[in-house]
Amino acid sequence: MPTLVKYSGDDERHKGRSICSMDPTRLLSVHDLYIRPYKRARITDPYKENNPSIEILPDECLYEIFIRLSGPQTRSISACVSKHWLTIISNIRNSELKSNKVKVKAEVNDQLLNDNEQENDGYLTRSLEGKKATDTRLAAIAVGTSARGGLGKLSVRGSSKVTSVGFLSIATSCPSLKVLSLWNVPLIKDELLVNISNECHVLESLDLSQCPLITNAGLASIAENCPNLSSLTIESCKNIGNESLQAVARCPNLQSISIKDCPLITDQGITTLLSSSSVLTKVKLQSLNITDSSLAVIGCYGKSITNLALTSLRNVTQKGFWAMGNARGLESLTSLTVVSCNGVTDLCLEAIGYGCRVLKNMALKKCCFVSDNGLVSFAKAARFLESLQLEECNRITQHGILGTLSNQNSKLKSFSLVKCMGIKELAHEPVDFSESQSLRSLTIKNCVGFGNTNLAMIGKLCPRLHNLDLTGLDKIDDTGLFELLKVCKVGLLKVNLTDCIHLTDNVVKALVKIHGETLEVLNLDGCKKIGDKTLAAIAENCLFLKDLDVSKSCVTDSGVACLSSSGRMNLQVLSLSGCSRVSNESLCSFEKLGKTLVGLNLQGCNSISSSVIESLVVNLWRCDILT
């Protein structure tokens, strides 16, 4: 009986009256009274046991719930529940959201308006590469960025998993997308561009590279529905042809186009594009099956083009380049780059000089039929030319350089000569030449025949240099550089003497004594005869030097100590890569230099132990250390 009296029962499950409160006359025997307490049996549902509760509702119901959520942040949190929810939410268009149409309290409404404005800004950038690029990741990006300001730029590279399904999420959830770049994404089809064009009407830039399944239909959809498109790049897309360019030609704001290695694009497409568009300013054509006709059209109708690059146009001859220059239609062209085009000769180069009246920047690379006569004629014709780059033009010799730089009417500020094998050492310096009063930057790089006499001649031609780059000139020594330094009338700011293996401490000491008050960047990488005397002279004279590279030189701990003991330098970047004679003894010197250093290169310094490196990483926490 004690057990019976003390038992109170389960109030939630057993709702009958207490036994003790019943009529005593109605009591039964003890055996009948003592009944074990029980709970109501739980109803089991086999469907619930096999499926989580969040998956019970059909997609239609979940969709109706999600479109009524209060804002992008709430939707973003909900998408984290499951991949199923993420898929549904990522395919909801902004126009379908009911929450944007419901009137709420003033402060909540203001917050929603702010969220919507922020969502349309599109300032966020996302980039996916390789295995990280999947349809699920794209869906997550689509939902997540909508709650944090809106996706503005998206780049997907090197993925064989991404399909048009993933980009459907981007299209529906990211109407603020402005820049889309797709490189080597072989599974995407026209459906992707159609979805993007239907939803992302503010798209401004599109870059397609190695997308073999994209055809004219996809690009035509973009051209029709994205009026803000201003930049288009097409590379190695074998199914894109002339019809695409005919559609793109109708884009009212297209300013920049680059086309490379698209075999179906011919003269017809280029002609339609150039003759129809009046706002194109930048045009790049590379490895296309076009002929002289396309260049003639460019010369006639390219009135708004300011930057033109022509590369590897094997079917274009001298007639095409000559017609482009003589058409006199490139009245706004300021920058021209021609690479690996055998059609460029002396005759057409002169025509370009006269026809492009405001040309300022000219780059000729691997144009093997350009010689000294054409170069000098071009320099005289292009009266506003400020920058001239010549690379692997092997018919150019020192006489062409002399004639170009001694032009009295020239406004040339920068001259670059790279890997021009036709240059030979002069037997003696020429007497009849005029100084260039405008040239400020000179690059003579990896020209194996360039020696001391040539360098002395250049020095007398260009006495007002600020920037000097003599990379890879292994035939010059102290004598040639001394001659150039003697005639410099203004202070040098940047000097690059990489791999000038015959230069010694003597000429570098003279360099820093003459130009130490202005020198900001000095590169002596690979100068094997440079040692501690150079660093001591730099510490004494170069108060404003910010970047110093003495990699693979003979400097030791003593030279590094000289740099650190100066107390007046403000060195920010120091490279000692491959300096095996710099050891652990330089630890204190590095710590002193670390007050201003933001970059320190110690790669290949085998005499510095790992413990010293670890100490430097801890103590120089502001400095990026390469080991």
Side-chain angles (χ1 to χ4, degrees):
M1 289 301 296
T3 304
L4 175 64
V5 173
K6 292 182 179 181
Y7 176 72
S8 60
D10 191 333
D11 293 337
E12 294 182 359
R13 296 294 182 182
H14 185 71
K15 300 299 181 180
R17 291 179 297 171
S18 172
I19 296 178
C20 296
S21 64
M22 296 178 66
D23 187 355
T25 60
R26 301 178 61 183
L27 290 175
L28 301 178
S29 66
V30 174
H31 297 287
D32 294 329
L33 288 174
Y34 188 77
I35 305 172
R36 294 184 62 185
Y38 69 93
K39 293 185 178 181
R40 189 174 299 166
R42 180 174 297 174
I43 300 174
T44 60
D45 187 345
Y47 182 80
K48 283 189 177 181
E49 292 179 354
N50 296 332
N51 297 275
S53 59
I54 60 173
E55 303 293 350
I56 291 178
L57 293 177
D59 291 353
E60 293 80 4
C61 294
L62 291 174
Y63 168 82
E64 291 296 331
I65 293 172
F66 293 148
I67 64 175
R68 287 170 170 80
L69 295 179
S70 60
Q73 293 183 350
T74 307
R75 291 191 295 275
S76 179
I77 294 173
S78 301
C80 297
V81 173
S82 70
K83 184 177 179 180
H84 184 199
W85 283 26
L86 170 64
T87 302
I88 297 174
I89 293 175
S90 65
N91 285 281
I92 297 177
R93 294 176 174 84
N94 277 12
S95 59
E96 297 171 336
L97 298 175
K98 302 296 184 182
S99 60
N100 293 336
K101 302 177 182 179
V102 178
K103 293 184 178 181
V104 292
K105 292 182 180 182
E107 60 271 15
V108 178
N109 193 35
D110 290 340
Q111 182 62 44
L112 286 175
L113 289 175
N114 291 336
D115 288 342
N116 291 333
E117 289 176 359
Q118 188 181 31
E119 186 175 352
N120 291 330
D121 283 341
Y123 61 84
L124 294 178
T125 299
R126 294 293 182 267
S127 178
L128 297 178
E129 295 187 15
K131 296 180 180 180
K132 295 182 179 180
T134 62
D135 290 343
T136 303
R137 288 292 298 272
L138 286 177
I141 287 174
V143 176
T145 55
S146 65
R148 299 178 56 196
L151 183 64
K153 297 181 180 180
L154 175 63
S155 173
V156 180
R157 300 189 177 194
S159 173
S160 58
K161 296 181 179 180
V162 171
T163 67
S164 298
V165 175
F167 280 97
L168 178 60
S169 303
I170 296 294
T172 54
S173 300
C174 304
S176 59
L177 187 66
K178 297 178 182 179
V179 179
L180 177 61
S181 177
L182 306 174
W183 286 24
N184 191 18
V185 189
L187 297 183
I188 60 173
K189 302 179 181 179
D190 290 335
E191 182 184 359
L192 178 154
L193 296 185
V194 171
N195 291 332
I196 292 291
S197 68
N198 288 336
E199 303 294 337
C200 306
H201 299 297
V202 296
L203 188 70
E204 297 176 359
S205 177
L206 177 62
D207 187 346
L208 301 174
S209 177
Q210 300 181 47
C211 300
L213 300 183
I214 296 293
T215 69
N216 296 321
L219 267 185
S221 179
I222 291 287
E224 181 179 355
N225 298 316
C226 299
N228 293 340
L229 188 68
S230 60
S231 177
L232 176 62
T233 298
I234 312 169
E235 180 178 338
S236 300
C237 296
K238 63 180 182 180
N239 287 316
I240 291 180
N242 296 328
E243 293 82 355
S244 296
L245 298 190
Q246 292 170 359
V248 168
R250 295 190 290 270
C251 292
N253 295 303
L254 187 65
Q255 298 178 10
S256 174
I257 188 165
S258 175
I259 310 172
K260 177 183 177 181
D261 194 21
C262 295
L264 297 183
I265 292 179
T266 61
D267 289 329
Q268 182 183 356
I270 299 298
T271 299
T272 303
L273 175 66
L274 269 298
S275 60
S276 302
S277 178
S278 59
V279 295
L280 269 177
T281 58
K282 296 181 180 180
V283 176
K284 181 179 180 180
L285 306 176
Q286 181 173 350
S287 301
L288 300 178
N289 295 324
I290 61 176
T291 66
D292 297 337
S293 300
S294 292
L295 264 63
V297 171
I298 292 175
C300 291
Y301 295 98
K303 298 184 184 299
S304 60
I305 297 177
T306 59
N307 295 71
L308 177 61
L310 306 171
T311 303
S312 298
L313 304 180
R314 303 187 184 279
N315 296 328
V316 177
T317 67
Q318 175 181 271
K319 293 181 180 179
F321 285 98
W322 181 86
M324 185 180 75
N326 274 326
R328 305 292 178 96
L330 294 171
E331 55 189 33
S332 302
L333 189 67
T334 58
S335 178
L336 175 61
T337 300
V338 183
V339 182
S340 298
C341 291
N342 292 335
V344 179
T345 63
D346 293 343
L347 179 64
C348 58
L349 191 59
E350 184 178 5
I352 291 173
Y354 282 112
C356 305
R357 293 182 289 273
V358 296
L359 189 64
K360 293 183 178 180
N361 305 302
M362 180 67 172
L364 290 174
K365 302 178 181 181
K366 299 181 181 180
C367 295
C368 57
F369 293 109
V370 174
S371 67
D372 294 338
N373 294 332
L375 179 62
V376 174
S377 299
F378 170 76
K380 291 180 179 179
R383 295 180 298 168
F384 297 97
L385 191 67
E386 295 181 358
S387 174
L388 178 59
Q389 301 177 48
L390 302 173
E391 182 174 337
E392 294 188 48
C393 297
N394 295 326
R395 293 194 180 189
I396 301 296
T397 71
Q398 58 275 12
H399 300 291
I401 301 173
L402 179 64
T404 300
L405 297 182
S406 62
N407 180 14
Q408 283 294 296
N409 297 321
S410 174
K411 293 180 173 60
L412 197 63
K413 297 180 180 179
S414 175
F415 182 72
S416 176
L417 207 64
V418 179
K419 296 182 181 179
C420 292
M421 304 305 174
I423 297 176
K424 305 299 180 183
E425 178 68 332
L426 290 170
H428 55 83
E429 292 184 31
V431 179
D432 187 16
F433 62 86
S434 302
E435 292 182 356
S436 172
Q437 300 299 318
S438 59
L439 198 71
R440 297 293 182 267
S441 178
L442 176 66
T443 297
I444 310 291
K445 187 174 182 179
N446 296 324
C447 296
V448 295
F450 199 92
N452 287 329
T453 307
N454 285 323
L455 188 59
M457 174 199 72
I458 291 291
K460 293 180 179 179
L461 280 173
C462 314
R464 301 182 179 277
L465 291 177
H466 289 312
N467 303 325
L468 178 64
D469 186 347
L470 303 177
T471 298
L473 301 187
D474 55 4
K475 288 190 176 181
I476 66 171
D477 55 26
D478 292 356
T479 304
L481 190 55
F482 270 128
E483 293 297 320
L484 185 144
L485 295 176
K486 286 193 302 183
V487 295
C488 281
K489 298 180 181 179
V490 295
L492 289 168
L493 300 176
K494 298 179 180 180
V495 176
N496 188 349
L497 301 173
T498 298
D499 292 331
C500 294
I501 58 177
H502 296 300
L503 298 182
T504 68
D505 288 325
N506 294 330
V507 73
V508 181
K509 287 168 60 179
L511 168 65
V512 298
K513 285 182 180 179
I514 298 172
H515 301 281
E517 294 183 356
T518 58
L519 199 61
E520 297 178 358
V521 178
L522 178 59
N523 192 335
L524 301 171
D525 183 8
C527 297
K528 300 178 181 180
K529 297 182 179 181
I530 298 298
D532 294 338
K533 293 181 180 179
T534 289
L535 295 188
I538 289 173
E540 182 179 355
N541 297 282
C542 300
L543 303 182
F544 302 102
L545 190 67
K546 297 179 180 178
D547 190 330
L548 175 62
D549 190 340
V550 288
S551 300
K552 292 173 286 189
S553 65
C554 293
V555 300
T556 67
D557 295 324
S558 177
V560 178
C562 289
L563 284 179
S564 64
S565 63
S566 169
R568 299 183 299 168
M569 295 188 67
N570 190 31
L571 197 62
Q572 297 179 10
V573 178
L574 174 62
S575 180
L576 297 166
S577 174
C579 295
S580 57
R581 300 174 67 182
V582 177
S583 67
N584 293 339
E585 295 183 7
S586 294
L587 175 61
C588 295
S589 300
F590 288 141
E591 291 178 346
K592 290 181 181 179
L593 291 169
K595 296 178 181 179
T596 59
L597 282 180
V598 296
L600 177 62
N601 187 352
L602 298 177
Q603 292 178 318
C605 295
N606 299 325
S607 299
I608 301 179
S609 65
S610 57
S611 59
V612 170
I613 296 295
E614 292 175 0
S615 176
L616 288 175
V617 171
V618 173
N619 296 328
L620 307 183
W621 56 272
R622 291 189 182 91
C623 183
D624 185 11
I625 301 176
L626 297 179
T627 58

